[in-house]
Amino acid sequence: MSSEGFLKEMQTIGEKFLLKLQRLPKADPVEIVSFCVVLLFIVTVVLLMIIACSCCCSSCCGCAGSHPEHRRRKIQVRPIAH
């Protein structure tokens, strides 16, 4: 997908979201609850992605390796002799 197509799709999704928000005060209670559940799910996924990326970046990008006390030691696993 080209960047123009992606931007157009994001604009369409944003417009639908704003339209849904405008209609929400007049909606049924079931529709309000379902909208809140979907919104909570989206927020949770985004929050978990941010947490995962921050944990990954701190171990991969050298942020953790900049201090000597944060360096990890490699442990070799040896078979047990019988």
Side-chain angles (χ1 to χ4, degrees):
M1 177 182 281
S2 68
S3 62
E4 291 178 12
F6 179 73
L7 290 175
K8 185 75 171 174
E9 188 69 28
M10 291 303 292
Q11 182 180 4
T12 304
I13 291 172
E15 289 172 357
K16 287 181 183 179
F17 183 73
L18 287 176
L19 184 63
K20 185 63 107 174
L21 281 176
Q22 289 172 350
R23 293 182 183 170
L24 201 57
K26 302 171 193 167
D28 296 340
V30 174
E31 191 174 356
I32 293 172
V33 170
S34 63
F35 181 77
C36 290
V37 167
V38 170
L39 191 62
L40 181 66
F41 175 75
I42 291 170
V43 168
T44 303
V45 168
V46 169
L47 183 65
L48 288 174
M49 285 176 53
I50 290 170
I51 291 170
C53 289
S54 67
C55 290
C56 179
C57 289
S58 67
S59 66
C60 295
C61 295
C63 299
S66 62
H67 302 294
E69 64 269 5
H70 291 291
R71 291 187 186 147
R72 297 183 182 172
R73 291 186 288 166
K74 293 183 181 179
I75 300 172
Q76 292 182 348
V77 179
R78 297 180 187 176
I80 300 173
H82 293 296

